[in-house]
C-alpha cells in the first residue's frame, strides 16, 4: 500500500502469544490518529475515508506457527479437548501463512474466516462468534460478495440469538438493548419481518430503554424502513 512521507508510521506492531501453541508473534495494528470515519451505518458498520485505513482489517491475530486466529474478545483456551480438536483439524494442515503485513479486504476476510473456525473449535461464547460473523458481513459487503454477506448474516443471527438466550453477552460488555437491536436490524435485512418487529418491540418496551436513547432512536428509524419494506413486499 505504501504510505510515504509521514513522520509517524500508520501502523505499529503488537506482541502476541498464541493461546494454542504459545508461540510469540507480532501483528500489525492501525494507529488511532489515522482513523477517519466517513459514515456510521444503522447496523453498526463503519465506513472510513480511506478504506485501507480501517481498524477492522487488523482485529484478528493469526498465529503463523499453528494457525490459531483470535480477537481480543476471545476467551483463553483451557480445555484439552478443544486444543486437541484445533490442532487436529487446523494445525496439522496449516501452511504457515503470514498475516503480519498490511492487509487487503481479501486478507482480512481470510483472517476472520480462520477466527470463526477457531471460535467454533474452541467453544467461544456465542456473542464472540456472532461478532466475528458480523464483521464478515461488513467485509463481504465491501467486496460486493452478496452470497457471502447473506451466509454470514444468517450465521450471525443464529449465534446472537443463542447469546441472547444464554446471556453470555453480558460477560463481553454488550448491552441487552444493543443485542436486541442487532437481532432486529439484521432480521430486517434478511426480510424476516416478523422477527425484526418482535426484537424492535423488545427494545421499545425494555425497562432500561431510557439508559440507551441512541439505541431506541435507531430502532425507531429502522422501524420506518421495516414498514416500508413490508408494504412493498421486499
Amino acid at each position: 500500500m505504501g504510505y510515504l512521507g509521514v513522520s509517524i508510521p500508520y501502523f505499529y506492531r503488537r506482541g502476541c502469544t498464541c493461546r494454542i501453541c504459545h508461540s510469540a508473534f507480532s501483528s500489525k495494528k492501525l494507529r488511532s490518529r489515522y482513523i477517519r470515519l466517513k459514515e456510521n451505518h444503522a447496523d453498526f458498520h463503519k465506513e472510513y475515508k480511506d478504506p485501507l485505513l480501517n481498524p477492522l482489517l487488523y482485529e484478528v491475530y493469526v498465529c503463523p506457527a499453528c494457525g490459531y486466529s483470535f480477537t481480543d474478545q476471545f476467551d483463553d483456551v483451557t480445555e484439552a479437548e478443544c486444543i486437541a480438536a484445533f490442532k487436529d483439524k487446523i494445525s496439522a494442515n496449516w501452511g504457515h501463512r503470514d498475516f503480519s503485513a498490511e492487509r487487503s479486504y481479501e486478507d482480512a476476510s481470510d483472517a476472520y474466516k480462520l477466527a470463526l473456525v477457531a471460535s467454533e473449535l474452541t467453544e467461544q461464547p456465542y456473542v464472540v462468534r456472532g461478532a466475528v460473523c458480523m464483521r464478515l458481513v461488513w467485509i463481504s459487503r465491501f467486496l460486493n460478495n452478496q452470497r457471502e454477506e447473506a451466509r454470514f448474516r444468517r450465521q450471525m443471527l443464529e449465534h446472537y440469538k443463542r447469546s441472547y438466550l444464554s446471556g453470555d453477552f453480558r460477560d463481553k460488555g454488550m448491552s441487552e438493548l444493543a443485542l436486541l437491536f442487532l437481532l432486529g436490524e439484521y432480521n430486517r435485512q434478511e426480510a424476516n419481518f416478523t422477527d425484526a418487529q418482535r426484537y424492535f418491540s423488545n427494545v421499545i418496551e425494555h425497562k432500561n430503554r431510557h439508559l440507551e436513547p441512541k439505541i431506541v432512536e435507531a430502532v425507531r428509524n429502522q422501524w420506518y424502513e421495516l414498514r416500508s419494506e413490508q408494504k412493498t413486499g421486499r
Side-chain angles (χ1 to χ4, degrees), residues 42-43 51 80 84 86 93 116 126 142 144 147 149 209 231:
D43 61 0
F86 184 86
N93 303 301
L116 183 57
Y126 292 117
F142 179 86
N144 197 29
R147 183 177 179 181
E149 181 182 350
R209 62 186 181 277
K231 288 178 182 178

Side-chain angles (χ1 to χ4, degrees), residues 90-105:
I90 303 299
S91 299
N93 303 301
W94 180 243
H96 296 273
R97 184 174 175 186
D98 185 7
F99 283 84
S100 64
E102 294 175 25
R103 295 177 185 174
S104 66
Y105 278 77

Side-chain angles (χ1 to χ4, degrees), residues 90-210:
I90 303 299
S91 299
N93 303 301
W94 180 243
H96 296 273
R97 184 174 175 186
D98 185 7
F99 283 84
S100 64
E102 294 175 25
R103 295 177 185 174
S104 66
Y105 278 77
E106 290 82 3
D107 294 331
S109 179
D110 289 346
Y112 277 104
K113 288 173 183 176
L114 287 167
L116 183 57
V117 172
S119 72
E120 299 284 356
L121 291 174
T122 61
E123 300 178 359
Q124 295 295 320
Y126 292 117
V127 69
V128 173
R129 305 182 207 185
V132 172
C133 289
M134 184 165 63
R135 284 152 176 77
L136 279 165
V137 169
W138 300 338
I139 290 172
S140 299
R141 186 181 301 166
F142 179 86
L143 293 172
N144 197 29
N145 190 329
Q146 296 178 4
R147 183 177 179 181
E148 289 215 331
E149 181 182 350
R151 176 164 70 97
F152 290 120
R153 182 166 54 235
R154 289 190 289 269
Q155 289 186 42
M156 184 210 76
L157 283 168
E158 183 60 31
H159 288 313
Y160 273 163
K161 181 180 177 181
R162 292 186 178 187
S163 176
Y164 178 61
L165 293 174
S166 69
D168 69 13
F169 62 92
R170 296 185 180 91
D171 296 328
K172 294 298 179 179
M174 177 179 278
S175 73
E176 185 171 334
L177 285 167
L179 181 56
L180 286 168
F181 170 74
L182 288 172
L183 284 165
E185 171 59 16
Y186 282 98
N187 269 295
R188 183 194 67 79
Q189 293 182 20
E190 277 290 292
N192 299 330
F193 298 134
T194 300
D195 287 339
Q197 186 170 339
R198 175 164 53 88
Y199 287 117
F200 283 161
S201 295
N202 286 343
V203 173
I204 297 298
E205 298 167 2
H206 200 282
K207 63 181 181 179
N208 293 328
R209 62 186 181 277
H210 63 284

Side-chain angles (χ1 to χ4, degrees), residues 42 44 181 185 200 213-223:
F44 292 9
F181 170 74
E185 171 59 16
F200 283 161
K214 290 184 178 180
I215 294 292
V216 175
E217 181 182 1
V219 165
R220 288 175 176 155
N221 291 337
Q222 295 312 101
W223 208 311

Side-chain angles (χ1 to χ4, degrees), residues 21 62 66 69 101 148 180 209 226:
C21 72
V62 182
C66 74
S69 306
E148 289 215 331
L180 286 168
R209 62 186 181 277
L226 174 62

